Amino acid sequence: MSSEVLLFTGAVGALLATAVLLGRTLAKRRHWRILPMMGSLTASVIVLTVTTGPFGARSLAVMLAAALWGAVLFSTASLVRHSHSLLATVVSVIGGVIAINAALVAFVVVRFSSTDAPREYALHWLPAMLTGAVKDLGGVRSETETPLWVHMSEDASLLPLLMVVLTGFALSYVVRRGALTRTAGVAG
């Protein structure tokens, strides 16, 4: 791996860890309902991503991806809300990865043709857009053209990073809030 990839991976990991800790900490102090929280997070992803990139067809792809991400994230949060902490953690990690990948696959499918971004490389799109860790995405391009992973990263802008960080925040909040509610129910 190149030093750039390691730097970006480390930065994403640090931001994710901070978001998870913030979610756990806020769960002790605040009680938010899941639906308004997920709606706010989805709206913030849409606003921040649409305003940081070109308008047009890209905006539609961002809105579709954010709506899909919000729906899968809400479903995951609803599923783990009353589960045991270990099970909730495992399910939330799996559900979070599915939410992020589904959203970014939807984004790429709407934005790029199947010849530009071959669909069999769909599981490589997240690491390519987020850190540049995957450079071979199967697209047929000449040496003078911008590589597909760079084009996808530029087009997605903040979308992958926001989704990763906010997924970590939201699901850690829900899991910790559920654990606190169960503890209070047992103690009371």
Side-chain angles (χ1 to χ4, degrees):
M1 263 199 225
S2 71
S3 60
E4 274 183 353
V5 171
L6 288 174
L7 175 70
F8 287 130
T9 304
V12 169
L15 288 172
L16 179 59
T18 303
V20 167
L21 289 173
L22 182 62
R24 290 180 55 83
T25 303
L26 286 177
K28 295 176 190 174
R29 296 186 174 101
R30 303 271 186 252
H31 178 66
W32 294 321
R33 299 221 176 265
I34 293 176
L35 187 59
M37 183 175 79
M38 294 303 164
S40 299
L41 293 177
T42 302
S44 66
V45 166
I46 291 172
V47 168
L48 287 170
T49 307
V50 167
T51 58
T52 59
F55 292 104
R58 179 189 171 278
S59 300
L60 177 65
V62 166
M63 286 187 255
L64 173 68
L68 179 60
W69 171 76
V72 175
L73 196 62
F74 175 73
S75 300
T76 302
S78 297
L79 185 66
V80 302
R81 181 172 49 179
H82 299 296
S83 300
H84 186 270
S85 293
L86 180 60
L87 177 64
T89 302
V90 171
V91 171
S92 67
V93 167
I94 293 169
V97 169
I98 290 170
I100 295 165
N101 273 313
L104 292 178
V105 166
F107 176 81
V108 173
V109 166
V110 170
R111 281 300 286 150
F112 297 92
S113 71
S114 61
T115 55
D116 287 340
R119 305 314 189 218
E120 61 266 15
Y121 291 88
L123 293 179
H124 299 270
W125 294 341
L126 173 63
M129 284 189 272
L130 198 58
T131 64
V134 178
K135 298 192 180 354
D136 179 22
L137 297 176
V140 180
R141 293 186 174 257
S142 69
E143 291 187 22
T144 58
E145 286 184 287
T146 305
L148 178 60
W149 70 273
V150 172
H151 190 57
M152 290 170 111
S153 298
E154 290 172 349
D155 209 38
S157 182
L158 293 174
L159 187 65
L161 181 62
L162 284 172
M163 286 184 177
V164 167
V165 169
L166 293 177
T167 298
F169 168 79
L171 293 177
S172 69
Y173 173 87
V174 171
V175 168
R176 181 68 175 155
R177 190 77 205 155
L180 291 171
T181 303
R182 279 189 307 283
T183 304
V186 170

